[in-house]
Amino acid sequence: MTASRRPSRPVRIKADSRAVGEPLHHHWSQVVGAGRAAEGLRANWQEHLRTAAGECGFRYVNFHGLFHDDMFVYRMGEDGPVYNFQYIDEVFDRLLEAGVRPFVEFGFSPGDLAREKSTIFWWGGHGSPPTDLGAWAALVTVTVEHWRARYGPQEVRSWYFGVWNEPNFDAFFRGTRTEYYRLYAATAKALKALDPGLRVGGPATSNFVPDARHDGEKEDATALAVLEHVEDADSLEWRPVWIEHFLDHCAEEGLPVDFISCHPYPLAWALDGDGQGLTFSRHASATLDDLTELRRIVDAGPFPKAEIHLTEWNSSPLPRDHTHDFPQAATFIVKSNLETIGLVDSLSYWTFTDVFEEPGAGATVFHGGFGMINHQGIVKPSFHAYRLLHTLGDELLARVDGAVVTRDSASGKVSCLAYHYPDEMTTSVGVSEPGREAADEMLAIGGPRVLEIDLHGLDPECLLTVETVGPFRGDALAAWRSIGEPEPPTREELGALRAVAREVPQETLKADAEGRLRFEISMRPWEILSLRQM
């Protein structure tokens, strides 16, 4: 990766605040991810959720492990099943108190129902089909009946119910595709028997692939694409795993599908010319391509009215990728979400917090965890990306490559969001592990970019705020490195880091007497700029 400082193409956007706008659905803030249910019992997880929901507008949260043994939901007693909902109640009560609803993921199997145990993660998720689908369906039924009694049928009807996580991968589901379909059928029928208005979906598969590795009953590692050059990947046909087959199967069997889910990470795996494993980031707009293809499949399929919820997404599915802590992750978030406006119902960032233990606890303060808030409550640039996306209105007035202008239908106020993703960065932001070297090289890519904003139809002499996030601006990692990377930081240092992570430069502008604002600025690579009416 070679650093470049050539000036990038300018971005020019113009809008009339009085023009008729298009409805703008905030698919970026509909759902956000977290690790597993038991982590939701912790005070800092709950604090981070309140922060993320309050400032970024997230409405639902999705996580694994609802039925795992550390939630103590199910065990087989001498006289039959014994159910215990105290831990689930604690997590769900806290979600609702924070103004967030559960995007339920039924899984993994409780130990007393699991065909195989401890197939995934250090905490030993039982990623195998239940031994008794009747007992599984009864568990789903009793659980949802409990929620309906505790929270009310109307509230529970507003939730989503997904079946399992990534069943196309052996460690997550030690079974076949047909066995997953049977599990889906048992779950969907149990839900609809309680209330036909409950929303169920699947198959929550990962990832988009250009080959036949997932075309059979189980993953076939011998069917991976072979690439002589990574650049060849852009010419391949990338498809979501199982989606078309799943939709056709459900239609044939008369099974309900209220929403489709899968995980479109832009990181891919293939074989090189010598048959060795190859890991690479796809092109910079791979997320746009994937969501466009998914939208086409659903529109043309037997369930064209089904919602589309991408229940996991990030620049990579690696929980120790240091790029997650850097400003370029934030720019990638804004770019991908603005490019995919109107295609899906949600694109769920994985995850809102570094209280996340799939590979165990993070060993350092900034360890490349998925979270937009680190374990100690320090917000990262990715948090600012979602915070600024949340400032956009619900009406789209203008969109160009690199910027949008929106209006809030209630207040009439206008907002603009722009980003500088360098032209030289032709791929999605790359992986940086085990160290930060690749992320540092990536940060040096690109030159300045001129941004020109021309707004008219504003209130005469109204005030607008400009806010810029990027390298050394809302950049907690840079602040930590500047004080010598203390590990662990003292309580005083943590307090200072929490404060500096929130320090984002702002200035105030004024429209002229005719209600017009012309604004020009040179943006540095990886910066995000928000301009919004006060």
Side-chain angles (χ1 to χ4, degrees):
M1 191 178 295
T2 303
S4 172
R5 289 292 178 182
R6 296 192 306 273
S8 295
R9 56 180 174 73
V11 172
R12 300 181 178 92
I13 191 163
K14 182 177 182 179
D16 182 346
S17 72
R18 301 161 299 188
V20 176
E22 301 174 9
L24 177 60
H25 171 65
H26 287 205
H27 67 282
W28 46 80
S29 58
Q30 185 75 1
V31 187
V32 71
R36 78 184 197 276
E39 293 160 357
L41 296 166
R42 299 184 187 172
N44 57 346
W45 189 101
Q46 295 168 11
E47 291 169 1
H48 300 171
L49 178 65
R50 288 192 294 270
T51 299
E55 298 188 49
C56 304
F58 296 116
R59 300 181 59 204
Y60 291 85
V61 64
N62 172 255
F63 44 73
H64 307 322
L66 183 73
F67 289 155
H68 188 59
D69 295 341
D70 58 5
M71 294 298 287
F72 302 98
V73 178
Y74 178 97
R75 67 179 176 85
M76 181 57 69
E78 292 182 2
D79 300 321
V82 178
Y83 305 101
N84 181 350
F85 297 110
Q86 290 194 91
Y87 279 20
I88 285 183
D89 288 348
E90 176 69 16
V91 175
F92 280 33
D93 286 357
R94 299 291 184 174
L95 295 183
L96 294 168
E97 288 167 6
V100 179
R101 289 178 164 131
F103 196 113
V104 176
E105 178 188 295
F106 286 121
F108 298 110
S109 291
D112 284 357
L113 274 182
R115 191 165 74 192
E116 294 184 47
K117 296 185 179 182
S118 300
T119 67
I120 189 73
F121 307 137
W122 80 268
W123 44 272
H126 307 318
S128 69
T131 55
D132 183 339
L133 283 180
W136 171 268
L139 171 59
V140 170
T141 297
V142 172
T143 302
V144 178
E145 284 179 330
H146 172 78
W147 288 333
R148 282 161 55 86
R150 184 174 184 84
Y151 304 113
Q154 193 64 32
E155 171 60 33
V156 176
R157 196 175 291 130
S158 69
W159 302 357
Y160 292 87
F161 298 90
V163 183
W164 217 261
N165 171 71
E166 299 186 356
N168 56 302
F169 287 148
D170 184 66
F172 285 111
F173 191 71
R174 291 284 171 83
T176 64
R177 182 170 62 187
T178 296
E179 286 180 307
Y180 173 76
Y181 288 173
R182 291 172 183 157
L183 178 70
Y184 180 85
T187 308
K189 289 176 181 178
L191 288 167
K192 296 296 186 179
L194 286 170
D195 180 354
L198 297 178
R199 295 177 288 192
V200 63
T205 46
S206 181
N207 206 1
F208 278 61
V209 296
D211 49 45
R213 72 186 77 170
H214 294 295
D215 285 0
E217 283 289 305
K218 300 197 75 169
E219 182 179 12
D220 181 3
T222 67
L224 269 67
V226 177
L227 301 176
E228 294 293 337
H229 305 285
V230 171
E231 294 77 11
D232 298 340
D234 290 342
S235 65
L236 300 178
E237 181 184 354
W238 293 81
R239 299 173 297 146
V241 172
W242 291 9
I243 297 298
E244 290 167 285
H245 194 277
F246 171 76
L247 293 174
D248 290 342
H249 170 82
C250 289
E252 291 170 4
E253 296 295 321
L255 297 173
V257 179
D258 296 302
F259 66 88
I260 309 301
S261 60
C262 61
H263 302 161
Y265 290 103
L267 191 70
W269 291 267
L271 298 175
D272 64 17
D274 298 320
Q276 302 300 308
L278 182 67
T279 302
F280 60 95
S281 295
R282 293 169 57 201
H283 68 91
S285 293
T287 298
L288 170 61
D289 285 357
D290 290 348
L291 271 55
T292 300
E293 174 64 7
L294 186 58
R295 178 81 267 168
R296 183 198 65 77
I297 290 171
V298 174
D299 287 348
F303 298 93
K305 294 184 180 180
E307 297 181 19
I308 300 176
H309 292 284
L310 294 313
T311 43
E312 283 187 29
W313 173 80
N314 200 309
S315 57
S316 82
L318 305 179
R320 296 294 179 265
D321 175 1
H322 286 280
T323 306
H324 294 147
D325 299 333
F326 275 73
Q328 52 264 41
T331 313
F332 179 71
I333 288 166
V334 173
K335 169 184 167 64
S336 298
N337 277 286
L338 294 186
E339 283 184 338
T340 55
I341 285 172
L343 291 176
V344 298
D345 295 278
S346 73
L347 182 61
S348 176
Y349 190 71
W350 189 255
T351 60
F352 73 84
T353 177
D354 273 354
V355 181
F356 179 93
E357 297 178 343
E358 287 183 359
T364 64
V365 177
F366 293 103
H367 56 267
F370 288 122
M372 59 182 76
I373 305 175
N374 90 331
H375 191 275
Q376 291 80 13
I378 303 169
V379 300
K380 303 182 190 179
S382 55
F383 172 87
H384 289 298
Y386 280 99
R387 180 179 61 81
L388 295 179
L389 281 164
H390 186 49
T391 66
L392 293 174
D394 58 350
E395 295 178 335
L396 182 64
L397 297 178
R399 175 164 61 147
V400 299
D401 185 12
V404 297
V405 176
T406 71
R407 178 179 58 219
D408 182 85
S409 60
S411 67
K413 293 184 177 180
V414 171
S415 57
C416 175
L417 188 61
Y419 61 88
H420 183 358
Y421 195 94
D423 294 338
E424 296 85 352
M425 189 69 193
T426 58
T427 67
S428 301
V429 290
V431 173
S432 187
E433 68 166 8
R436 299 187 182 90
E437 294 79 12
D440 282 328
E441 291 179 16
M442 198 186 316
L443 199 62
I445 289 176
R449 167 176 291 167
V450 172
L451 171 67
E452 298 176 5
I453 303 173
D454 186 355
L455 302 177
H456 52 103
L458 301 169
D459 295 333
E461 299 185 343
C462 70
L463 300 180
L464 300 95
T465 297
V466 178
E467 186 174 357
T468 306
V469 170
F472 305 101
R473 300 180 176 193
D475 185 354
L477 175 66
W480 176 68
R481 297 172 91 175
S482 73
I483 59 173
E485 303 183 9
E487 198 63 74
T490 65
R491 294 176 67 188
E492 293 74 20
E493 287 169 332
L494 282 175
L497 287 170
R498 291 188 191 104
V500 75
R502 294 282 191 164
E503 292 177 359
V504 178
Q506 295 186 8
E507 63 175 305
T508 301
L509 304 178
K510 181 189 287 188
D512 64 21
E514 284 72 45
R516 186 163 193 170
L517 176 76
R518 290 189 180 94
F519 176 67
E520 181 177 317
I521 192 172
S522 178
M523 296 181 68
R524 295 185 295 178
W526 307 112
E527 284 188 335
I528 305 165
L529 182 142
S530 170
L531 171 67
R532 54 192 185 269
Q533 203 170 341
M534 298 172 64

